[in-house]
Amino acid sequence: MENIKIRCRSCGKELESISGKTVSCGCPNMTTIRNGVISAVDLEQVVMLNSYGNQKKSGFLTGEDIAWQEARRQRKVRRLDFEVR
């Protein structure tokens, strides 16, 4: 897992998460990182420098699986008419 890096705009201090520890900037905004959770008095004053979302996730489906799913999605539903007695 990659460490999260943030910057507190109030004091300008950059914080990097450390597993199992709480890291705080100490200014009146009290920007804190604890186990991947970011908290602050005013979160608008916090800038994410990197996060987990920046990493490219590899897909589980191959090209032919995706093509099969697309073809399946475009099929029409066929209604059957039954005679009611």
Side-chain angles (χ1 to χ4, degrees):
M1 211 187 281
E2 188 176 324
N3 292 342
I4 299 174
K5 290 184 183 179
I6 61 172
R7 179 182 300 130
C8 178
R9 286 185 185 170
S10 297
C11 62
K13 189 171 183 180
E14 291 187 7
L15 304 172
E16 185 173 353
S17 66
I18 300 172
S19 63
K21 299 222 177 193
T22 301
V23 181
S24 180
C25 67
C27 73
N29 193 32
M30 282 304 294
T31 303
T32 306
I33 303 176
R34 181 178 338 128
N35 296 331
V37 177
I38 300 167
S39 62
V41 173
D42 184 11
L43 283 174
E44 290 183 357
Q45 296 294 319
V46 177
V47 178
M48 294 287 294
L49 300 178
N50 74 343
S51 65
Y52 301 126
N54 290 345
Q55 300 170 357
K56 180 77 173 168
K57 294 181 180 179
S58 61
F60 294 104
L61 299 176
T62 63
E64 67 180 36
D65 289 339
I66 293 172
W68 183 82
Q69 287 288 343
E70 287 295 319
R72 182 176 172 81
R73 190 179 72 142
Q74 299 197 4
R75 291 190 310 183
K76 303 275 187 216
V77 175
R78 189 173 53 176
R79 292 186 179 213
L80 300 175
D81 293 325
F82 294 99
E83 192 175 311
V84 178
R85 294 185 184 191

